[in-house]
Amino acid sequence: MPTTSTDPRAAAAALLVPGTTCHGFAVERCETVPELDSDAYVLRHTASGARLLYLACDDENKAFAIGFKTPPADSTGVFHILEHSVLCGSAKFPVKEPFVDLIKSSMQTFLNAMTYPDKTIYPVATTNEQDLYNLMDVYLDAVFNPAIYTKPTIFEQEGWHYELDLPEGAEGEGSAASLREGTLRYNGVVFNEMKGALSDPMSVLDDAVNAALYPDTAYAHESGGDPRAIPALTYEQFLDTHARHYNPSNSYITLYGDLDVDRALAFLDERYLSQPSAASRRMDAVIAAGEDPSTLAPNPLGVQAPVTCEYQRVEMATTPENALVGLGLVLGSALDRKRTIAADILFEALLGSNEAPVKKAILAAGLGGNVVSYTAAESLQPYELIILQNAQPGVAHELRRVFQDACRDLCEHGVPRERLEAIISSNEYDLRQRDYGIADGVAIACDALSTWLYDDDAATLALKYGPVYEELRGELDGSYFEDLLRELVLQNDHMALVELVPVDAAEGAEGAEAAELAAKRDAMTDAELADVIERTAVLRAAQEAEDTPEDKATLPRLRVSDIGEARPEPPLVVDTTAPIPCLRHDIPTNRLAYAMQYFDLSCVAFEDLPYVTLLCRLLKQLPTREHSAEELDNLLAGKLGFLSFTTEVMTQPDVDGVRPYLLVSAGALSEKIDALASLPREVWSSTLLLDADADRVRDVLTQIRIGLEQGFINNGHSAALGRAMSYSSPSAVVREQLSGVDFYLFLRDLLDHFDERLDGLRAKLAELADRIFVADGCMASFTGSNEDFDAYWDAAGDLGLGAGDGAASGTLVVPTPRDRHEAFVIPSDICFAASACDPRRLGIDVTGAWAVAANALSYDYLWNEIRVKGGAYGCGFRAAGERQAAFYTYRDPAIDPSIERVARAGEWLGSFEPDEAAFEGFIVSCVSGMDASVKPYALTKRRNTTYLAGLDPHAREERRAQMLAATPGELRSLGADVTRIAAVSPTCVFGGRDVVAKSNAGFTVVDLLA
């Protein structure tokens, strides 16, 4: 609940007068940022040198962030390990996991930390001002006074350590023979996280391109840490790096939102910036010992002189389909915002869709399956990376030639202005929508650092984009974009061409790591091997030790009494006066409008559902009766904020009930309502499916396949959860057929037999479109002002929907789910595992107390057992409403230990004895998650799902009340049900071949990507 009663902008204007000092902060300047409806104040703490940016605005979702310039000097991942480690206890808050304690006890709407290639940021957000100070207190003590200086086990847990796995039956014997027979291995949270991250070929390629573009700077190194380099980091180097970088003079602080800035500045000054820190004390001791003070400076962040890498080959143990070619082009300086934004618009216009001219030329050349590009703007020297996916062998130089030839032609004949205008309009829509996916203040703090980090006078440069877009619109009349394209592509002497070549796994990093560890074991003395066993035991003891009541009491906590009333939502109205029944949402949208249509898929046979997904992906990619594919592409980008065709599956009140929909979603500026009414209709009703171009269709299908394969590698926990649910839930069976493993296998088979199946595919898609896009069973949705609602339906009429063929309805028959107990092999060094079920099949009523129990299980038992002890990067338990209960692990080094720990979760919950403050924290965090503000589009979709899934419209209120009323005894009583869920929930795994092979769980092993 907000605690300030005055207008934050007026209060800031009265207090922060440029040229004055407030609580030790010199107020340097004030600027209005109309793009964010805020006033920006730039301050500097005189005594410590800390920089501060305050964005005064009406947003009750307040935010704080502190960032440090942290350019790495190697690939040991020291700054990533520090990011994890400083949040493992501090001088003022000596508990083991204050970060986790805050997750499970605060009203935070964002709580995390991020390591970038040149900076580390610790942001928080909350709607409660006292909670903001609590979070600030813990985070500031964490970064300035972490427990890492007195507890080396933190470094071992979060970074890396040795473990020695003794032969079965040898544990505890300690004989030299048994030690010599043991298997030495590395473990650690960041070590395992980066094994997963660098299983993604796109990440490996990006790292290689950075190393080629910036060989003499920090960007040549993997800031997250290369698992091959992480074990080279010593504890002393780790502490030295913290002391040199985590000090106020190297810091960037952001405050955002409706808060009492006078109190905030006093808090920062008195509690931290005017006080000595652990880092400063260590540095003072080093100086006292005679060390040259110049060696205590932070790592430098230098500018790379132009270099040209004509070609570099990088090998990676992965599947042949993951072959990539990357072309990196340095754009200039981060401080040249016009150039960076213009380059982003330009390359989006050239490569952003299958109809973009340069992408079309590359695809036509048959060099690979897809082309994507992105602008990496958050570095001192931004760059554009063009990536050819599913590349044919040896095409790197040909890619560069085709790319340059296409760009040369555009330089000579002009970049199509309608494409540039469309991209500019689309970007401006996104900027007005401000849907960052996270708390606004957190996203803005990170954006500010994309220029502020490199120039103290550029704190707001990245935030004031309005004049840049206005200027770029003016440049459409001249040759600015052609000149820029010529400079960046044809005359650029700062570029790199890198090819990622898949090789057999035996030649990859795993084999090298195993050989390295075997050699290390053989070189160790018996005493050193015994020390590995002993140090592991010490680490385990530290991980298993409970925080003392005195240590727990140091943490600031909110009480249930600090939670206000739930924000009322306007009632959902079904407007039957519209030509199509319409779910009407009266939600403020900042002059945007959203229109949706839900088309019932009950009329589609189960075996035809994969074709529905293909239909969704091909619509917008093909010409219509009115426009060519290229004209349509430009029209959609210029007139609409977005248009999407997707599928959604609504689980029904009946445990076996399922209702799939094809969802058409679109958004537009209020002044473009006519396009919102007409363009989606044109696409679904007049796309030329029967005449679909074969190459165009094949390109889209290949791109879908590549995207799915990337998802399996990077987000295997989501794939595992969906697959595990399909073993028992009809709804999940349908989802698998539409978008999961079953769809992927269908798609691969279709691509393998594309030529002979093309005519049948065209006919099936046309037949499905005729059957699906009808008025029968269609439900519309509209979010926007009353004026926009009326204007939309005046323009839309009945959307051109006929009644449909009733005889074709009711044909969906879902196969009975069955437990397949599958482990899918993917190219990775870690695994993702999930076990899930529908609790209604067990007669379990999932009330709001289950959300509190899930919080306790996820951030207490599972976190300590699977992440802290097991080294997995993530884990959790979900109890989503009344229709799903699931366990999962993320980037886990092993399968069986986690399965065993999940099996004991109910026993732990059954003996759960939290103190009063800790238990209130679980309730507070659960309720705050439910109360967190939601952007209009996401809120619309949530309310629509409630209606279409047949959920009680008051269920959220009841669930919230149940959370607030939960007791420890009620949670203990759920322990037996959690044990049942763990015992009967089928398990699915996505993981590397070696990890799967080490499991004794008897999975049916499927080589998914072979």
mmCIF file of all heavy atoms in Angstrom, residues 30-48:
data_model
loop_
_atom_site.group_PDB
_atom_site.id
_atom_site.type_symbol
_atom_site.label_atom_id
_atom_site.label_comp_id
_atom_site.label_asym_id
_atom_site.label_seq_id
_atom_site.Cartn_x
_atom_site.Cartn_y
_atom_site.Cartn_z
ATOM 1 N N CYS A 30 17.819 18.307 -12.940
ATOM 2 C CA CYS A 30 16.482 17.718 -13.041
ATOM 3 C C CYS A 30 16.038 17.806 -14.490
ATOM 4 O O CYS A 30 16.261 18.832 -15.155
ATOM 5 C CB CYS A 30 15.499 18.458 -12.138
ATOM 6 S SG CYS A 30 13.770 17.988 -12.404
ATOM 7 N N GLU A 31 15.436 16.739 -14.992
ATOM 8 C CA GLU A 31 14.936 16.706 -16.364
ATOM 9 C C GLU A 31 13.556 16.050 -16.359
ATOM 10 O O GLU A 31 13.341 15.073 -15.646
ATOM 11 C CB GLU A 31 15.858 15.883 -17.273
ATOM 12 C CG GLU A 31 17.309 16.293 -17.249
ATOM 13 C CD GLU A 31 18.196 15.284 -17.949
ATOM 14 O OE1 GLU A 31 17.654 14.477 -18.740
ATOM 15 O OE2 GLU A 31 19.411 15.263 -17.694
ATOM 16 N N THR A 32 12.666 16.569 -17.158
ATOM 17 C CA THR A 32 11.378 15.913 -17.353
ATOM 18 C C THR A 32 11.546 14.821 -18.405
ATOM 19 O O THR A 32 12.184 15.046 -19.443
ATOM 20 C CB THR A 32 10.311 16.916 -17.792
ATOM 21 O OG1 THR A 32 10.121 17.873 -16.747
ATOM 22 C CG2 THR A 32 8.987 16.214 -18.073
ATOM 23 N N VAL A 33 10.987 13.654 -18.126
ATOM 24 C CA VAL A 33 11.027 12.541 -19.074
ATOM 25 C C VAL A 33 9.579 12.242 -19.460
ATOM 26 O O VAL A 33 8.913 11.410 -18.835
ATOM 27 C CB VAL A 33 11.705 11.297 -18.467
ATOM 28 C CG1 VAL A 33 11.841 10.194 -19.528
ATOM 29 C CG2 VAL A 33 13.073 11.640 -17.903
ATOM 30 N N PRO A 34 9.064 12.916 -20.465
ATOM 31 C CA PRO A 34 7.644 12.738 -20.807
ATOM 32 C C PRO A 34 7.321 11.310 -21.240
ATOM 33 O O PRO A 34 6.187 10.863 -21.066
ATOM 34 C CB PRO A 34 7.430 13.736 -21.946
ATOM 35 C CG PRO A 34 8.789 14.053 -22.478
ATOM 36 C CD PRO A 34 9.719 13.919 -21.318
ATOM 37 N N GLU A 35 8.312 10.602 -21.803
ATOM 38 C CA GLU A 35 8.069 9.230 -22.243
ATOM 39 C C GLU A 35 7.659 8.325 -21.083
ATOM 40 O O GLU A 35 6.973 7.312 -21.282
ATOM 41 C CB GLU A 35 9.329 8.664 -22.900
ATOM 42 C CG GLU A 35 9.730 9.349 -24.193
ATOM 43 C CD GLU A 35 10.610 10.572 -23.980
ATOM 44 O OE1 GLU A 35 10.656 11.109 -22.840
ATOM 45 O OE2 GLU A 35 11.253 11.005 -24.939
ATOM 46 N N LEU A 36 8.079 8.691 -19.863
ATOM 47 C CA LEU A 36 7.782 7.873 -18.689
ATOM 48 C C LEU A 36 6.858 8.594 -17.705
ATOM 49 O O LEU A 36 6.671 8.123 -16.582
ATOM 50 C CB LEU A 36 9.086 7.492 -17.976
ATOM 51 C CG LEU A 36 10.120 6.739 -18.825
ATOM 52 C CD1 LEU A 36 11.401 6.514 -18.026
ATOM 53 C CD2 LEU A 36 9.559 5.414 -19.307
ATOM 54 N N ASP A 37 6.306 9.741 -18.120
ATOM 55 C CA ASP A 37 5.458 10.535 -17.227
ATOM 56 C C ASP A 37 6.147 10.760 -15.892
ATOM 57 O O ASP A 37 5.557 10.565 -14.815
ATOM 58 C CB ASP A 37 4.102 9.840 -17.009
ATOM 59 C CG ASP A 37 3.308 9.721 -18.291
ATOM 60 O OD1 ASP A 37 3.319 10.670 -19.075
ATOM 61 O OD2 ASP A 37 2.685 8.654 -18.505
ATOM 62 N N SER A 38 7.393 11.171 -15.941
ATOM 63 C CA SER A 38 8.163 11.307 -14.710
ATOM 64 C C SER A 38 9.141 12.472 -14.813
ATOM 65 O O SER A 38 9.412 13.002 -15.898
ATOM 66 C CB SER A 38 8.934 10.016 -14.425
ATOM 67 O OG SER A 38 9.966 9.831 -15.376
ATOM 68 N N ASP A 39 9.678 12.852 -13.651
ATOM 69 C CA ASP A 39 10.780 13.812 -13.568
ATOM 70 C C ASP A 39 12.007 13.064 -13.064
ATOM 71 O O ASP A 39 11.931 12.307 -12.087
ATOM 72 C CB ASP A 39 10.444 14.958 -12.612
ATOM 73 C CG ASP A 39 9.274 15.794 -13.108
ATOM 74 O OD1 ASP A 39 9.191 16.006 -14.328
ATOM 75 O OD2 ASP A 39 8.447 16.200 -12.273
ATOM 76 N N ALA A 40 13.132 13.279 -13.732
ATOM 77 C CA ALA A 40 14.361 12.570 -13.389
ATOM 78 C C ALA A 40 15.313 13.519 -12.674
ATOM 79 O O ALA A 40 15.608 14.611 -13.165
ATOM 80 C CB ALA A 40 15.018 12.009 -14.649
ATOM 81 N N TYR A 41 15.807 13.072 -11.518
ATOM 82 C CA TYR A 41 16.769 13.844 -10.730
ATOM 83 C C TYR A 41 18.079 13.073 -10.683
ATOM 84 O O TYR A 41 18.104 11.888 -10.329
ATOM 85 C CB TYR A 41 16.245 14.087 -9.317
ATOM 86 C CG TYR A 41 15.038 14.989 -9.284
ATOM 87 C CD1 TYR A 41 13.761 14.461 -9.466
ATOM 88 C CD2 TYR A 41 15.174 16.366 -9.104
ATOM 89 C CE1 TYR A 41 12.644 15.290 -9.467
ATOM 90 C CE2 TYR A 41 14.051 17.199 -9.099
ATOM 91 C CZ TYR A 41 12.795 16.658 -9.277
ATOM 92 O OH TYR A 41 11.706 17.475 -9.281
ATOM 93 N N VAL A 42 19.164 13.747 -11.047
ATOM 94 C CA VAL A 42 20.492 13.141 -11.035
ATOM 95 C C VAL A 42 21.267 13.717 -9.859
ATOM 96 O O VAL A 42 21.423 14.943 -9.751
ATOM 97 C CB VAL A 42 21.235 13.405 -12.358
ATOM 98 C CG1 VAL A 42 22.614 12.748 -12.338
ATOM 99 C CG2 VAL A 42 20.421 12.877 -13.534
ATOM 100 N N LEU A 43 21.751 12.826 -8.976
ATOM 101 C CA LEU A 43 22.430 13.239 -7.750
ATOM 102 C C LEU A 43 23.758 12.497 -7.622
ATOM 103 O O LEU A 43 23.969 11.451 -8.241
ATOM 104 C CB LEU A 43 21.570 12.961 -6.518
ATOM 105 C CG LEU A 43 20.181 13.604 -6.441
ATOM 106 C CD1 LEU A 43 19.125 12.715 -7.094
ATOM 107 C CD2 LEU A 43 19.793 13.871 -4.985
ATOM 108 N N ARG A 44 24.636 13.034 -6.776
ATOM 109 C CA ARG A 44 25.906 12.370 -6.479
ATOM 110 C C ARG A 44 26.159 12.487 -4.978
ATOM 111 O O ARG A 44 26.071 13.584 -4.412
ATOM 112 C CB ARG A 44 27.041 13.027 -7.256
ATOM 113 C CG ARG A 44 28.425 12.499 -6.922
ATOM 114 C CD ARG A 44 28.749 11.235 -7.683
ATOM 115 N NE ARG A 44 29.026 11.532 -9.084
ATOM 116 C CZ ARG A 44 29.991 10.940 -9.778
ATOM 117 N NH1 ARG A 44 30.759 10.022 -9.217
ATOM 118 N NH2 ARG A 44 30.171 11.233 -11.056
ATOM 119 N N HIS A 45 26.461 11.348 -4.325
ATOM 120 C CA HIS A 45 26.761 11.365 -2.895
ATOM 121 C C HIS A 45 28.169 11.907 -2.732
ATOM 122 O O HIS A 45 29.153 11.311 -3.203
ATOM 123 C CB HIS A 45 26.636 9.966 -2.306
ATOM 124 C CG HIS A 45 26.684 9.963 -0.811
ATOM 125 N ND1 HIS A 45 27.773 9.520 -0.101
ATOM 126 C CD2 HIS A 45 25.767 10.360 0.113
ATOM 127 C CE1 HIS A 45 27.537 9.626 1.188
ATOM 128 N NE2 HIS A 45 26.326 10.131 1.345
ATOM 129 N N THR A 46 28.297 13.041 -2.070
ATOM 130 C CA THR A 46 29.563 13.766 -2.035
ATOM 131 C C THR A 46 30.677 12.970 -1.377
ATOM 132 O O THR A 46 31.797 12.900 -1.901
ATOM 133 C CB THR A 46 29.374 15.107 -1.295
ATOM 134 O OG1 THR A 46 28.302 15.841 -1.904
ATOM 135 C CG2 THR A 46 30.651 15.931 -1.353
ATOM 136 N N ALA A 47 30.399 12.344 -0.253
ATOM 137 C CA ALA A 47 31.453 11.663 0.498
ATOM 138 C C ALA A 47 31.916 10.378 -0.177
ATOM 139 O O ALA A 47 33.113 10.079 -0.217
ATOM 140 C CB ALA A 47 30.957 11.357 1.912
ATOM 141 N N SER A 48 30.978 9.587 -0.731
ATOM 142 C CA SER A 48 31.333 8.262 -1.257
ATOM 143 C C SER A 48 31.509 8.219 -2.765
ATOM 144 O O SER A 48 32.138 7.311 -3.300
ATOM 145 C CB SER A 48 30.261 7.246 -0.863
ATOM 146 O OG SER A 48 29.049 7.504 -1.565
#
